[in-house]
Amino acid sequence: MLSPRYATLAAVTLSTALLPVATAHAADEPAPQAPRVTSATTDTFGRMADAVLTDRTAALLDEGQAPRTALKATGGARLSAAVSRTEGTALTALRDTRSRLAALGEAYTDADTDVTVDSTQVRGQQATVRVTETTTLTYAKLRGDEPATTGFRAHHELTFTAQPDGTWQLSGLRTTDNGPRPINDPAAATSAGRPGAASSASRAPGAPAAPVSTFAIIDAPKAATTLPAPAKPKKLTGGTYDYAAMATYTEKYWKDYNPAYRKYNSLGGDCTNYLSQGLLAGGWKQISTVTPEEYDTWYYASNGTADAWIGVNEWSWFTQTAKRTTPLANVYQMDVGDVMQIDFNKDGSKDHSMMTTYRSSSGVPYLTYHDADTYRRSVASIIAQYPTSVYFAYRT
């Protein structure tokens, strides 16, 4: 299903150039005209993006053998031969993902993918199209205690090339978000180094440089990812912190960001900024007094924000040193309000933060996070996509 919201585009200015005269009879010939992009063209781009991404999502469903709609011409656009081969390989990889998920006790019965065109830029014979994908997947009730749905909002950049006959070919597609790739993204976890951009590089504009630490940083130990795991239940409300309130806040703003806070997506990632907001909603107290120590502040302010509020590693160092968190031995021990972090490429630097906002009665945590914005994704599906990464689990 395709959203009707597309930006109105002005026609691209036509340009001509004269060729050198080769003979006395040679006439001046104009260079090929730049293709004209109208609202109808933009609609075509959006429909092709929708078809490709819908095909990817359909490969994850129980039946998983739906016909590939993107192979057909879509209103004057089609896949290039190279992209058609790539997408065929992608669908095979996604069916393998479906099999791995089934072995972990997870499946999806239905899905809806919706695409909105955000912008189109034409240079020469190529158009760069940026789109937002919003996908919802319905969990199969294999255990009976799964949440109803999971969802994500992802951003993609597509390249279309104009053809002499006036049609367009999709010649390239890439996902532009930080953090874990969406479940319908078949790309290998190690490709392009994209997971991992959201790290300690994020610093709020105007925030002072942190002083040199005078104490040893306490780092979190790695967590196991195997089942079964010993239960570690906790009281969700009525204690020092309101974990239910943390989950409620986090699920409220998973795709519609709270306007009271700055976004850090373009500065390395918004995942830990978003995590910190949820912890604050559940009763964590801000610490803004500057001392000679490096990671003993955790605060958000209009004129500066602590590194530990927005940085993945800094958050871990602060919470461990300040005893705001204790490590869990296994990611499946996480309960509502607990936190998981990932080191995607095992280089010793944590790359992504996310909060548990639902835990099934059979012991599966479900995570909500920014970059790409995601709602109630199971720990199992993340492990299935990143089986060789290093995981850290925190009791908050």
Side-chain angles (χ1 to χ4, degrees), residues 239-247 249 276-285:
T240 304
Y241 302 120
D242 188 339
Y243 299 108
M246 293 179 185
Y249 177 94
S276 292
Q277 294 171 35
L279 294 168
L280 182 67
W284 274 34
K285 303 300 182 185

Side-chain angles (χ1 to χ4, degrees), residues 8-20:
T8 302
L9 302 175
V12 178
T13 303
L14 303 181
S15 60
T16 59
L18 297 179
L19 298 174

Side-chain angles (χ1 to χ4, degrees), residues 266-285:
S266 63
L267 298 174
D270 197 64
C271 62
T272 310
N273 173 47
Y274 178 50
L275 169 67
S276 292
Q277 294 171 35
L279 294 168
L280 182 67
W284 274 34
K285 303 300 182 185

Side-chain angles (χ1 to χ4, degrees), residues 52-60 87 90-91 94 97 108 112-113 133-135 137 152 154 156 175 181-187 377 385:
V52 170
L53 296 170
T54 295
D55 283 348
R56 289 183 174 186
T57 306
L60 295 169
E87 286 303 306
L91 297 184
L94 287 166
T97 297
Y108 313 113
D112 178 72
T113 292
E133 170 198 3
T134 303
T135 288
L137 290 150
F152 63 84
H156 309 279
T175 302
R181 295 178 183 273
I183 189 63
N184 71 345
D185 188 327
R377 182 174 181 180
Q385 195 169 28

Side-chain angles (χ1 to χ4, degrees), residues 60-311:
L60 295 169
L61 301 182
D62 281 346
E63 62 275 13
Q65 300 295 330
R68 289 179 60 189
T69 58
L71 283 176
K72 303 175 183 179
T74 305
R78 66 175 63 246
L79 302 184
S80 69
V83 170
S84 182
R85 289 191 297 271
T86 299
E87 286 303 306
T89 302
L91 297 184
T92 298
L94 287 166
R95 285 189 278 270
D96 289 342
T97 297
R98 188 186 73 228
S99 297
R100 290 196 301 274
L101 285 170
L104 293 169
E106 182 167 316
Y108 313 113
T109 61
D110 195 15
D112 178 72
T113 292
D114 184 90
V115 171
T116 301
V117 174
D118 301 318
S119 67
T120 300
Q121 183 179 36
V122 178
R123 289 183 179 177
Q125 301 300 303
Q126 285 195 334
T128 300
V129 183
R130 293 178 176 84
V131 305
T132 297
E133 170 198 3
T134 303
T135 288
T136 301
L137 290 150
T138 301
Y139 283 112
K141 296 297 185 179
L142 301 182
R143 296 185 178 93
D145 58 0
E146 294 87 350
T149 62
T150 181
F152 63 84
R153 184 178 62 181
H155 301 90
H156 309 279
E157 183 179 281
L158 297 87
T159 302
F160 288 87
T161 303
Q163 303 302 299
D165 63 359
T167 62
W168 294 84
Q169 283 191 352
L170 176 61
S171 53
L173 168 63
R174 69 184 185 93
T175 302
T176 59
D177 295 302
N178 296 307
R181 295 178 183 273
I183 189 63
N184 71 345
D185 188 327
T190 57
S191 69
R194 187 178 56 80
S199 65
S200 58
S202 298
R203 183 190 298 276
V212 177
S213 177
T214 60
F215 64 92
I217 292 171
I218 298 177
D219 207 354
K222 300 173 185 177
T225 59
T226 54
L227 279 173
K232 292 278 287 187
K234 67 181 184 182
K235 186 177 181 180
L236 299 186
T237 59
T240 304
Y241 302 120
D242 188 339
Y243 299 108
M246 293 179 185
T248 297
Y249 177 94
T250 303
E251 293 191 346
K252 179 179 180 179
Y253 293 108
W254 77 269
K255 64 177 178 177
D256 298 318
Y257 288 28
N258 186 344
Y261 292 92
R262 290 184 293 273
K263 300 177 182 178
Y264 290 89
N265 308 79
S266 63
L267 298 174
D270 197 64
C271 62
T272 310
N273 173 47
Y274 178 50
L275 169 67
S276 292
Q277 294 171 35
L279 294 168
L280 182 67
W284 274 34
K285 303 300 182 185
Q286 298 190 61
I287 302 175
S288 58
T289 303
V290 177
T291 75
E293 307 299 353
E294 186 173 2
Y295 301 116
D296 60 352
T297 59
W298 180 80
Y299 65 90
Y300 178 92
S302 59
N303 61 347
T305 301
D307 286 352
W309 181 281
I310 57 177

Side-chain angles (χ1 to χ4, degrees), residues 328-347:
L328 293 169
N330 191 302
V331 296
Y332 282 97
Q333 293 177 317
M334 293 189 299
D335 207 332
V336 171
D338 289 338
V339 172
M340 188 171 83
Q341 292 186 319
I342 310 175
D343 175 1
F344 287 107
N345 54 10
K346 300 192 292 188
D347 64 354

